[in-house]
Amino acid sequence: MTLTAKAEQTRGSILATGEELMLAKGFTGVGLQEILTTCGVPKGSFYHYFSSKEGFGVAVLERYVETYLTAVDALLARPGTGRERIRLLGDAWAARAGSASAGRCLVVQLSAEVSGFSERMRVALADGVAALVALFADVVAEGQADGSIAAGASARELAEALYQLWLGAALLDRLARDGSPFTAALAATDRLLNHP
């Protein structure tokens, strides 16, 4: 559907509001009326842009993933060895740990919640994770080529292991709230990058 600039702005506002509310309360914890009231949009407008709450959830996730991948791509495009750029990303994840922004990841917030009842939302999250791991893998391969990362494991497998390690640290930090899971995760990252 082609939207006018004003309609695109309204749709963007609904999505941004939904993202904030979903980060705070999850998907099932947010009602349609709360979304509409918070962004000041009538119910009819919502259904002009989205066929259902699930369709809205998918759109929120796709927008979130696109924005997140752009930010990660920019971070990984900085100068440096492959190892330096992977650690730069790991340090960025760790910098959010123990703070109010630590839980501000829709993958962390929604993966367990939506995977059991919305195949479309599960796929949107899975596709986003796959794209993120692919970015990691490209930089790991560059690090293996420049000698800063051990060349024994496949770049894809190492990228998957790093993502799983950091995602686990993000989940555990929601309990610890002190950054300690990332201290351990970054130490393990260095061991993985050194291991042939």
Side-chain angles (χ1 to χ4, degrees), residues 1-21:
M1 143 179 47
T2 304
L3 301 175
T4 65
K6 183 178 179 187
E8 191 61 52
Q9 183 178 6
T10 300
R11 183 178 188 276
S13 175
I14 297 169
L15 290 171
T17 299
E19 180 180 324
E20 287 302 312
L21 291 171

Side-chain angles (χ1 to χ4, degrees), residues 7 39 45 60 62 72 84 96 109 119 121-122 154 171 181 187:
C39 66
S45 293
V60 167
E62 289 172 346
V72 168
E84 289 167 343
R96 294 174 60 171
Q109 180 72 17
E119 181 64 9
M121 291 179 74
R122 184 199 66 75
S154 85
L171 286 168

Side-chain angles (χ1 to χ4, degrees), residues 18 21-32 34-35 53 56:
L21 291 171
M22 287 163 55
L23 281 166
K25 299 179 175 186
F27 181 72
T28 56
V30 176
L32 179 56
E34 183 178 12
I35 296 165
K53 186 180 176 196
F56 166 72

Side-chain angles (χ1 to χ4, degrees), residues 29-129:
V30 176
L32 179 56
Q33 192 56 51
E34 183 178 12
I35 296 165
L36 299 174
T37 300
T38 303
C39 66
V41 173
K43 196 172 197 175
S45 293
F46 179 88
Y47 286 110
H48 174 72
Y49 301 113
F50 311 104
S51 60
S52 63
K53 186 180 176 196
E54 181 188 33
F56 166 72
V58 170
V60 167
L61 291 174
E62 289 172 346
R63 178 179 178 268
Y64 175 81
V65 164
E66 182 181 335
T67 301
Y68 190 79
L69 289 174
T70 299
V72 168
D73 195 37
L75 192 63
L76 292 176
R78 291 184 180 177
T81 65
R83 180 191 192 95
E84 289 167 343
R85 290 180 291 139
I86 286 291
R87 272 307 305 261
L88 181 66
L89 184 57
D91 290 342
W93 277 40
R96 294 174 60 171
S99 70
S101 66
R104 298 194 55 77
C105 174
L106 282 178
V107 175
V108 171
Q109 180 72 17
L110 300 181
S111 292
E113 179 186 356
V114 302
S115 63
F117 70 81
S118 173
E119 181 64 9
R120 291 175 58 208
M121 291 179 74
R122 184 199 66 75
V123 168
L125 284 169
D127 288 349
V129 167

